[in-house]
Amino acid sequence: MSIEDYLNVSRIEAGNMKYNLSEFNLRDEVEKVSNDIRPVAMEKSLVLLFRTDMASKGVVKADIGKTVQIVHNLINNSMKYTPKGSITVLVHDNIQKKRIYVDIIDTGIGINKENLSKLFQKFSRADNANTVNVLCTGLGLFVALRMAEAMGGTITAHSDGDGKGSKFTLELPLAL
């Protein structure tokens, strides 16, 4: 996927990335991605759980292909950096804020504070990333964040440190 990452970076930086906005059910799409990836997780002896806590129907106005790509990227990242344990995908919303969130919570290698601040930069990887996965461009999170921002959202990362797992959150506006 690295060639696609490089092409996406070029498109983003040149302002040529195209977004086809439409309304769709984010909860349903995230569930489909989770179901598609689950067999790969099982091959790695990982448990992949899908959960929801929704007050709305979960409809967003965004680019469905790019949104699915972001979710796929975040779940795959969690799998790469979780040698054992589980990954929980939680879709929840806040109607007052008109926002929907996709949390990807893993029991993986975690990220220290210094690396958290650099995670979304081009070619950035956590110091401990190579101990688990050496096949990575360091562009996936950069591309995912830029795409989320272009659709009115964001991505954040949280970890209590090395060995303590991670939580990545995709946030998008609800289409109410």
Side-chain angles (χ1 to χ4, degrees):
M1 181 164 157
S2 61
I3 291 173
E4 187 65 27
D5 284 339
Y6 287 109
L7 290 172
N8 283 332
V9 168
S10 295
R11 287 182 198 114
I12 288 167
E13 290 181 338
N16 294 332
M17 183 68 87
K18 303 281 185 250
Y19 293 88
N20 299 311
L21 303 182
S22 64
E23 289 192 3
F24 63 92
N25 189 304
L26 180 62
R27 190 205 74 78
D28 291 351
E29 293 305 317
V30 172
E31 185 173 21
K32 285 181 202 167
V33 172
S34 298
N35 290 339
D36 288 347
I37 295 177
R38 187 167 290 111
V40 179
M42 290 170 66
E43 284 175 22
K44 297 179 173 208
S45 300
L46 297 172
V47 176
L48 176 60
L49 302 168
F50 174 78
R51 301 282 183 258
T52 61
D53 184 9
M54 302 288 295
S56 72
K57 288 184 170 69
V59 175
V60 297
K61 184 171 185 177
D63 183 307
I64 190 168
K66 290 187 175 49
T67 304
V68 165
Q69 183 180 341
I70 291 167
V71 172
H72 216 279
N73 176 303
L74 294 175
I75 296 172
N76 277 329
N77 267 4
S78 280
M79 288 190 341
K80 286 179 196 170
Y81 301 110
T82 303
K84 61 182 181 181
S86 66
I87 297 152
T88 302
V89 180
L90 171 64
V91 181
H92 57 104
D93 58 9
N94 183 322
I95 290 182
Q96 288 74 29
K97 292 183 178 180
K98 297 181 180 163
R99 306 301 276 180
I100 187 165
Y101 309 90
V102 180
D103 294 338
I104 291 94
I105 306 155
D106 65 51
T107 59
I109 62 173
I111 310 159
N112 65 39
K113 281 191 183 359
E114 181 185 321
N115 287 318
L116 266 176
S117 65
K118 302 184 291 190
L119 262 185
F120 293 97
Q121 295 172 7
K122 268 193 296 188
F123 305 113
S124 179
R125 296 186 68 205
D127 296 336
N128 59 354
N130 284 333
T131 62
V132 180
N133 186 323
V134 291
L135 299 172
C136 198
T137 62
L139 293 172
L141 290 175
F142 171 82
V143 169
L145 176 61
R146 293 304 177 277
M147 289 193 303
E149 289 173 342
M151 295 184 288
T154 191
I155 301 173
T156 54
H158 175 79
S159 177
D160 288 330
D162 290 336
K164 302 205 172 153
S166 307
K167 175 172 126 180
F168 285 80
T169 302
L170 166 64
E171 176 185 332
L172 289 170
L174 276 169
L176 293 174

